[in-house]
Amino acid sequence: MTAIIKRELVAFFKNPIGWFVLAIYSFLSAILFTLFVIWQNTSYLGDYFGFWLFFVDMVVVGILSMRFFSEEKKNKTDQLLLTSPISLYQLVLGKFFGALIIFLICTSVNLFYVLIIDIFGTVDYGCLLTNLIGTVLALCAIISIGLFVSALTESSVAAAAGTMAILFFMFVIDFFGIFLPTWLANIIMHANIYAQFDDFTNGILSLPPIVYYISVTVIFLFLAVRMIEKRRWS
């Protein structure tokens, strides 16, 4: 699994798209930091880590999903992975942790913003900690969805579009609750991938959102393994 992680990191930083993704994330996060912190003249980070940065995370993972498995299939290197002496779980987890590390490198720019606040104001480290924990958990769920979709197709564009479609649906799923019975609407409301993030942005570390993101991660990683296993024997 370590070899897969290292392979993902090397491939990412050797590819111009990797540096493009880093640049895009840094640029968009800088705009959001300016809008929600500097222009508001506040040290509160909840609004910065909220809706729009979450949406940026979704878009960037959508772009990254183009190279999870789809690119391997397109370049015919997937056969090398499928015949390597590692289990499918190790393969998928290697891809998963590789993508997570890459995204954590992207989000490390937030530490620079915290330093700016610390110089000119006071950082609420409790709120910062819950937002960082929530961001990592949400990223795990989002990346696992990207891995699953990428395992379905060899088209990079289809992988990115499919990932964004599923994430967007989970983003607005509670809207459909108005057409459903109340009991079902309440269940759907708790399936909203962003609604679960609210507690973290407010500095609250509660169990239900943690269980939700971990559950989504495990389910979609399991589905990704099943799809790769199906391809191995097809």
Side-chain angles (χ1 to χ4, degrees):
M1 187 171 71
T2 304
I4 298 295
I5 295 175
K6 187 182 297 184
R7 181 176 180 273
E8 289 298 299
L9 294 175
V10 171
F12 179 82
F13 288 106
K14 277 189 175 181
N15 194 319
I17 294 180
W19 295 102
F20 174 75
V21 169
L22 282 172
I24 287 296
Y25 183 88
S26 299
F27 175 71
L28 293 177
S29 64
I31 292 176
L32 295 177
F33 181 76
T34 301
L35 291 175
F36 291 108
V37 178
I38 295 179
W39 281 11
Q40 300 296 327
N41 194 27
T42 180
S43 61
Y44 175 64
L45 290 168
D47 292 335
Y48 165 69
F49 278 101
F51 180 89
W52 288 110
L53 189 63
F54 193 94
F55 188 78
V56 170
D57 291 343
M58 287 170 46
V59 172
V60 173
V61 170
I63 296 174
L64 286 178
S65 67
M66 296 170 64
R67 55 175 308 279
F68 287 151
F69 286 110
S70 300
E71 193 173 272
E72 300 281 4
K73 296 177 184 177
K74 183 179 179 180
N75 297 331
K76 307 301 181 183
T77 55
D78 60 321
Q79 295 300 322
L80 178 62
L81 292 175
L82 294 176
T83 55
S84 58
I86 58 173
S87 68
L88 293 182
Y89 284 100
Q90 289 176 312
L91 171 59
V92 172
L93 287 176
K95 288 275 189 179
F96 170 76
F97 285 114
L100 181 59
I101 291 172
I102 288 169
F103 212 100
L104 290 179
I105 292 173
C106 290
T107 58
S108 64
V109 68
N110 293 314
L111 299 178
F112 175 70
Y113 302 146
V114 172
L115 179 61
I116 293 177
I117 296 176
D118 195 41
I119 292 174
F120 296 101
T122 303
V123 179
D124 184 346
Y125 285 103
C127 183
L128 174 63
L129 180 61
T130 58
N131 275 285
L132 292 177
I133 292 174
T135 298
V136 172
L137 290 172
L139 284 177
C140 288
I142 293 171
I143 290 171
S144 67
I145 293 171
L147 276 169
F148 167 68
V149 176
S150 186
L152 295 174
T153 177
E154 66 179 28
S155 170
S156 299
V157 176
T163 299
M164 287 302 301
I166 291 178
L167 289 173
F168 183 75
F169 176 74
M170 296 178 71
F171 204 70
V172 300
I173 191 172
D174 52 348
F175 168 78
F176 299 97
I178 61 176
F179 305 106
L180 300 172
T182 303
W183 66 271
L184 186 56
N186 290 333
I187 295 176
I188 287 180
M189 180 182 65
H190 292 294
N192 185 302
I193 196 168
Y194 175 71
Q196 300 293 332
F197 198 74
D198 280 346
D199 283 350
F200 297 111
T201 60
N202 293 321
I204 302 171
L205 195 62
S206 57
L207 186 59
I210 295 175
V211 172
Y212 171 84
Y213 286 126
I214 292 176
S215 299
V216 171
T217 302
V218 172
I219 290 170
F220 278 96
L221 286 179
F222 173 78
L223 292 175
V225 171
R226 295 281 73 84
M227 293 307 304
I228 298 299
E229 184 178 42
K230 181 180 178 181
R231 179 172 176 81
R232 169 182 273 183
W233 298 112
S234 62

